[in-house]
Amino acid sequence: MTNLPPAVVRISRTVWRDGVARETSERASPAETAIAIVYDGGTEAVMMASPQDVEDFAIGFSLTEGIIGAPEEIESLEVVEHADAGLEARMWLKRGLGERLGRRRRNLAGPTGCGLCGIDSLEQAVKPARRVEAGRTFSASEIHEALEALSRAQALNHATRAVHAAGFFRPEAGLIAVREDVGRHNALDKLAGALARAGEGAEDGFVVLTSRVSVEMIQKAAVVGVGLVVAVSAPTALGVRMADEAGITLAAIARSDGFEVFTHHHRIIAAEPEKLAAGGAGQ
């Protein structure tokens, strides 16, 4: 494993207040680097991302882009640093997958958070998401617990105030994993890779996002297999439509005092089932 660049860089800045330069000091800024996703010696994508959790990013990107169906289909993965040019995540796929990849090979440069770079038709942009059948319900209090846990776990954002986060929450275990990145799609890809590498099933938990929910975020969440996506920011109209078609419950504009549910409301209940049962028994 190569020594990755630091995730945080100190940069000089001058602070102005009330029209006057008050001080010159340093500020923590998130690092951003080019990461090339390479399969069998050919570059599939070049994305701008935070230089951390690169293996998770490579595997998660491979899963959410449909390159592979499981981490075991990658025979080897190596992260290589190229001085000031960036990083390569070099993967070699199992026999047969390379031929399939060759039919959809593309070379692209993706700006930070670009989730639709490299497609070659309008149909690909709004391709149907994988249908999610997970039927577990979650309480409003569990959603608020997940939001608070994600906020506490965002170490990089606490330092820089400039990155997105994606987390996976299971009520019985709390926040299982959280990944941060300058790009919101990258953060979700990293989370997908982390869950896949750990063998974590997605049916009993849900994804929590700090970003807006656009169509490609729902497409990626559907690959993860979660039935519920919770977001701090608002969804796009197409994101809502995609969530509805994918069978995903979408709760967004989530704050400490509430949230708004846009699709498949049945997965969210007012209280935990055992509390409801206890309340009924006492009547």
Side-chain angles (χ1 to χ4, degrees), residues 5-11 27-33 48-52 112 155-164 180-183 190:
V8 176
V9 178
R10 305 295 301 186
I11 57 175
R27 177 181 177 87
S29 180
E32 183 179 22
T33 191
M48 300 304 298
S50 299
Q52 59 183 13
T112 299
L156 184 56
N157 193 56
H158 290 161
T160 66
R161 301 298 177 185
V163 298
H164 293 290
E180 296 180 276
D181 198 277
V182 289
K190 288 180 177 181

Side-chain angles (χ1 to χ4, degrees), residues 89-165:
R90 295 178 181 173
M91 288 167 280
W92 292 91
L93 305 178
K94 284 190 173 180
R95 178 183 290 272
L97 291 180
E99 296 177 1
R100 184 179 70 189
L101 178 61
R103 292 194 294 269
R104 52 161 284 171
R105 174 72 66 192
R106 66 179 187 259
N107 291 307
L108 60 97
T112 299
C114 179
L116 292 176
C117 295
I119 62 173
D120 55 18
S121 72
L122 293 175
E123 289 75 14
Q124 285 181 280
V126 291
K127 63 183 178 182
R130 180 182 300 179
R131 181 77 183 178
V132 174
E133 302 297 342
R136 176 172 178 172
T137 59
F138 302 94
S139 69
S141 61
E142 289 168 345
I143 290 175
H144 289 303
E145 183 182 349
L147 289 167
E148 292 175 2
L150 183 63
S151 178
R152 293 192 300 268
Q154 294 175 59
L156 184 56
N157 193 56
H158 290 161
T160 66
R161 301 298 177 185
V163 298
H164 293 290

Side-chain angles (χ1 to χ4, degrees), residues 132 134 168 195 202-203 205-207 221-229 247-249:
V132 174
F168 180 74
L195 295 176
E203 298 80 9
F206 57 91
V207 162
V223 173
V224 173
V226 291
L228 169 62
V229 172
I248 291 175
T249 299

